[in-house]
Amino acid sequence: FSPDSSLVSVLTSKPSVVLLDVSSDSQIKLKELKETHPITPWCSAFTSNSSSVYFTGTGGNLAKWDFTNDSELKHSSNLAESTNSSTLTRLETITNDLVLIENEFGDLILYDFETQKIDKVLRSAERGLGSRGTLV
């Protein structure tokens, strides 16, 4: 859901990202990802101003789509290589450019999309979690 609860993003296996208007239950935007994003989207999160949506999935890639002006996708550097992870399983936005990401091992990654830099990685073991993100 968008921060103002007016929109919801839906990820499909086509792959595509669909934006739905909650009040009318109607599709308002569709972004096909076949050529522009070579992975099936796994999770999504709106920016704090509700003008863009981040999404990620298998392959460790992160993309941002500004749907207010239907811009092309902006891609991050490959986070899988720098975090030894192939799947980014959870995504939360802190600000419009700062994203909190969780990988399949339960590691938390604070990523600045604007600068394309990882600000912090908190390993699951540091949080008292096992190698697959389960409590120990």
Side-chain angles (χ1 to χ4, degrees):
F1 285 93
S2 62
D4 64 2
S5 299
S6 65
L7 301 172
V8 65
S9 64
V10 178
L11 307 173
T12 71
S13 61
K14 288 189 178 184
S16 61
V17 177
V18 179
L19 295 178
L20 300 172
D21 181 289
V22 173
S23 62
S24 66
D25 195 28
S26 61
Q27 176 180 312
I28 57 171
K29 296 272 184 175
L30 168 70
K31 187 70 165 182
E32 296 288 338
L33 304 175
K34 290 179 186 170
E35 288 131 22
T36 56
H37 197 66
I39 63 168
T40 301
W42 186 275
C43 57
S44 66
F46 284 90
T47 55
S48 56
N49 64 6
S50 298
S51 67
S52 301
V53 65
Y54 285 100
F55 55 93
T56 187
T58 57
N61 294 304
L62 176 68
K64 183 179 182 182
W65 173 36
D66 180 350
F67 54 84
T68 57
N69 62 16
D70 233 2
S71 68
E72 284 304 307
L73 300 177
K74 294 179 183 174
H75 292 271
S76 71
S77 56
N78 191 317
L79 293 170
E81 292 173 9
S82 47
T83 61
N84 297 321
S85 171
S86 63
T87 304
L88 306 174
T89 59
R90 199 172 96 191
L91 187 59
E92 299 290 332
T93 55
I94 307 301
T95 65
N96 286 334
D97 291 313
L98 196 59
V99 185
L100 182 64
I101 303 162
E102 185 173 7
N103 67 17
E104 78 267 30
F105 303 114
D107 300 334
L108 294 176
I109 302 139
L110 192 58
Y111 185 75
D112 188 323
F113 198 85
E114 172 98 13
T115 64
Q116 301 280 305
K117 303 267 189 232
I118 293 176
D119 285 346
K120 172 78 176 151
V121 175
L122 183 60
R123 302 284 177 206
S124 62
E126 298 171 52
R127 299 189 308 138
L129 300 175
S131 63
R132 289 284 178 201
T134 56
L135 288 173
V136 290

